[in-house]
Amino acid sequence: MAPKGPLAARFGALALDPARAGALGRAGLELANAGSVAWRSRGETGVLVSYHWLDERGNPIVWDGIRTPLPRPVEPGESLRVELAVRAPMPPGRYRLAVDLVAEHRAWFEELGGEPARATVEVAPRIARRLAVEGADPGALDGQEEPVVPREQADAVARLAPGVVPAPDWTRRILDAHQEGYALVGGSVAIDGGPLAARGARAALAPWAPGAGRVPAFPHPLLCPSAVVGVEPRWAEPVEGLPAARPPDGEPWLYDGRVAVRARPRSGRRRG
């Protein structure tokens, strides 16, 4: 039964696209205004539709989901169907989804005595384990723990450059991260010898030096990155000839120093 009061809602059945960790999906929901005042969305304020992701015990994993404005004002007693954007939680597993209305900067309807629309959701890995690699030298991928596939068969694509050789566990670590839900993955770069001219390259590549694990707020572009198919990185200027990218807005990304490559950077000087 819907609560009494100015802001009250009654929800119908909640339908959700198959959920993949970290990926953006869609949900559909019937809702009715069971209160005494009209609902209106005003850009990013007013009454909006949003959601929480909870674990199986009801603990919040993601509290403030993406906001979806109402397509039109909803008067008391009126109903409508809303399509909303939902980004799945990470990592894969079983979660509870709670979809609710929020009077932005005031309160969630649940806090006023309402009951959200709820569903138990099995969140699948974001991708299968199929990685393609572009820009690698012949033989650079020999000895990888997990073999690569042709571009047309891939769920994710990594970019290398001439002179770059990944560590043997590079493909495995990239695929693990993508399955966990990350759309863009990059890691550390070790300087592999080179002439004295590589001293400049060593300084330029210092932020990506080996030694760290995951760095959640890594402030630099990801080098030799891997991106899930369908997600276009924001490409930056190459760093010492290495491809560099930043994640698209809203997409989860990961810098992990254990995702390691060795590079013999060019000196940057013209010969002859």
Side-chain angles (χ1 to χ4, degrees):
M1 179 179 295
K4 303 296 183 181
L7 294 175
R10 183 171 59 253
F11 296 106
L14 174 61
L16 180 69
D17 289 345
R20 296 188 176 276
L24 194 64
R26 306 291 297 180
L29 178 65
E30 296 279 348
L31 51 85
N33 187 341
S36 58
V37 298
W39 301 337
R40 289 180 174 84
S41 297
R42 302 178 182 88
E44 297 180 354
T45 63
V47 176
L48 308 170
V49 189
S50 191
Y51 58 89
H52 317 303
W53 286 103
L54 314 172
D55 66 17
E56 292 189 273
R57 296 184 177 182
N59 300 310
I61 304 301
V62 177
W63 185 253
D64 282 307
I66 298 169
R67 295 330 198 229
T68 298
L70 297 170
R72 60 174 175 81
V74 184
E75 300 293 333
E78 289 187 338
S79 61
L80 79 165
R81 181 176 178 79
V82 175
E83 298 289 328
L84 59 148
V86 176
R87 189 173 295 280
M90 298 164 47
R94 174 172 287 190
Y95 296 87
R96 295 178 182 176
L97 174 64
V99 178
D100 199 4
L101 292 166
V102 56
E104 200 64 80
H105 308 304
R106 294 178 59 192
W108 293 85
F109 280 30
E110 182 180 15
E111 295 172 329
L112 304 175
E115 182 66 25
R118 301 181 186 273
T120 299
V121 181
E122 290 287 348
V123 175
R126 182 153 188 172
I127 65 166
R129 299 188 71 86
R130 296 190 295 259
L131 179 69
V133 179
E134 297 179 345
D137 287 333
L141 300 175
D142 292 351
Q144 285 294 305
E145 292 182 10
E146 296 196 36
V148 299
V149 301
R151 176 67 174 79
E152 61 273 13
Q153 299 175 14
D155 301 297
V157 180
R159 275 78 173 181
L160 293 181
V164 174
V165 178
D169 61 357
W170 182 74
T171 51
R172 173 177 62 80
R173 289 188 181 276
I174 286 176
L175 289 168
D176 286 347
H178 283 319
Q179 287 204 311
E180 189 175 337
Y182 293 104
L184 192 69
V185 179
S188 63
V189 180
I191 302 296
D192 188 12
L196 293 178
R199 288 177 178 174
R202 193 178 300 277
L205 292 169
W208 298 269
R214 293 186 172 189
V215 181
F218 190 70
H220 306 284
L222 302 180
L223 301 188
C224 298
S226 177
V228 169
V229 170
V231 173
E232 182 60 32
R234 293 184 293 138
W235 293 103
E237 285 296 317
V239 178
E240 294 299 317
L242 304 181
R246 296 187 182 275
D249 291 340
E251 285 287 352
W253 58 275
L254 176 67
Y255 173 85
D256 187 341
R258 298 168 298 179
V259 178
V261 302
R262 301 190 68 82
R264 184 179 291 270
R266 301 171 181 174
S267 67
R269 299 177 181 175
R270 293 187 178 182
R271 296 183 178 180

